Amino acid sequence: MPKTARKPPKDPEGRMPLTEHLRELRNRLGIAALSVVVVAIVGAFFAKDIMDFLTEPVPICEYGDPAARERRCAVLAQNGLTAPFATYLRVSLLVGLIGASPVWLYQFWAFIAPGLHRSEKKYSRAVVAVGVPLFLTGTYFAYWLLPRAIPVLLSFSADDAQNFVSVEEVLDITVRLALAFGLSFELPLLLVLLNLGGVVTGKRMLSWWRWMVMGIAIFAAAITPTDLLSMVALQVPVTGLYFLACGIAVLNDRRRRKQNPDAGLSDEEASQLDLTPEPVGPAERIEDRDRPVNGHDDVT
């Protein structure tokens, strides 16, 4: 009876043929997709509660309520027979992507980790440990902002008009703001990683402060609703995180210069040479050239 072929031992450095890489990528993508589907199915049972939570920032009024004509609230609506079911699917998929994030993030990490050096693995763990809280903090700011921004948007309604707001539109705005705030809070992490990789120094980063403050203000004005509070709520923390990243980069540059004085030099600068004269040691005795030395004909 023929014996089953044994699997070749894994390379400790993670090296494998291209076909093995593709097979591993397929397997990890399958596990990630399956985890998203499973969590999405579970999330479908709570989709209505999640929709109520996401639409809670909208000041809701009944149809014909005088407060709606005074532009203080809106009427939630879902247009079409398939709109409620489509919204359920979107909410379930969103829950699946967020809830299964530890699984697919681990699959991504397990695929690239064998090709990383030890220092790169250390930095990548720090990225996950710091990046996730920063992203969650940004999404919290977005959800805190919505109840204050939506009444400002409703105030632009026409006089004696009743504003009908679709649930899909509220979900789109909520997700868009959450992603914008979450990714904006990742800016300092990106700058610190560039500094750790030797791409930019802390002094150079700090010299950008005028353009960075202006750029953050323009981005905040473009991504947030029309009121000033929304813009300030995004600009102030992101600007503070930028200066915090500059401080971390400056301290890292000082530490690097203490360990290696030539670490801060550019490619065009020459390192400092130690030209201090040293005493010459005593002369060494040369063996007789006719006699072999260590099995060789001469001392050379």
Side-chain angles (χ1 to χ4, degrees):
M1 186 174 181
K3 295 182 179 180
T4 57
R6 295 183 179 180
K7 292 184 178 180
K10 290 186 177 181
D11 192 301
E13 297 183 2
R15 291 173 296 191
M16 62 179 66
L18 178 61
T19 55
E20 292 295 329
H21 276 295
L22 296 177
R23 186 177 293 109
E24 182 186 8
L25 178 63
R26 180 198 62 188
N27 294 337
R28 296 197 180 280
L29 287 177
I31 295 174
L34 181 62
S35 65
V36 171
V37 172
V38 171
V39 178
I41 293 174
V42 176
F45 293 97
F46 306 96
K48 189 175 183 303
D49 296 331
I50 296 172
M51 280 192 294
D52 294 340
F53 173 76
L54 294 178
T55 56
E56 186 178 355
V58 181
I60 302 175
C61 55
E62 300 294 335
Y63 180 76
D65 193 336
R69 299 183 181 274
E70 296 176 5
R71 298 172 292 181
R72 294 202 304 265
C73 59
V75 178
L76 278 180
Q78 287 182 292
N79 301 321
L81 293 175
T82 60
F85 180 70
T87 305
Y88 258 74
L89 291 181
R90 292 178 61 183
V91 172
S92 301
L93 182 60
L94 181 63
V95 173
L97 289 173
I98 297 176
S101 57
V103 178
W104 56 262
L105 283 175
Y106 171 77
Q107 296 300 322
F108 174 75
W109 162 256
F111 181 73
I112 67 172
L116 299 178
H117 298 290
R118 182 175 300 177
S119 60
E120 293 172 337
K121 291 180 181 179
K122 179 180 64 175
Y123 290 150
S124 58
R125 293 191 189 99
V127 168
V128 175
V130 178
V132 173
L134 284 175
F135 186 84
L136 294 178
T137 303
T139 56
Y140 170 77
F141 265 87
Y143 191 77
W144 172 84
L145 179 65
L146 282 173
R148 295 156 179 81
I150 290 178
V152 177
L153 297 176
L154 294 177
S155 65
F156 290 94
S157 302
D159 295 338
D160 297 331
Q162 200 157 7
N163 202 324
F164 288 86
V165 179
S166 65
V167 177
E168 294 81 4
E169 185 179 3
V170 175
L171 295 179
D172 288 340
I173 292 176
T174 304
V175 174
R176 193 184 313 128
L177 280 181
L179 289 177
F181 273 64
L183 294 178
S184 298
F185 275 58
E186 301 291 338
L187 172 65
L189 182 60
L190 175 62
L191 294 176
V192 171
L193 286 178
L194 291 176
N195 176 258
L196 292 176
V199 178
V200 62
T201 62
K203 185 177 179 181
R204 175 64 62 85
M205 287 167 48
L206 197 57
S207 66
W208 301 339
W209 73 270
R210 294 181 180 85
W211 295 104
M212 291 297 295
V213 172
M214 182 181 297
I216 293 172
I218 295 174
F219 175 78
I223 201 65
T224 57
T226 54
D227 60 317
L228 182 62
L229 177 63
S230 304
M231 176 180 172
V232 173
L234 179 59
Q235 182 184 359
V236 171
V238 175
T239 304
L241 289 174
Y242 159 71
F243 283 108
L244 177 62
C246 291
I248 295 175
V250 170
L251 294 176
N252 180 61
D253 291 339
R254 289 181 181 177
R255 178 191 60 83
R256 189 178 297 169
R257 280 194 298 268
K258 288 181 179 179
Q259 295 178 352
N260 183 10
D262 299 335
L265 297 177
S266 63
D267 296 336
E268 292 78 13
E269 293 179 309
S271 59
Q272 297 180 357
L273 299 178
D274 187 7
L275 302 178
T276 304
E278 296 181 356
V280 180
E284 298 180 358
R285 182 175 179 274
I286 299 178
E287 301 290 342
D288 189 2
R289 292 179 181 272
D290 296 333
R291 188 174 59 184
V293 178
N294 295 331
H296 299 281
D297 295 338
D298 53 20
V299 294
T300 60

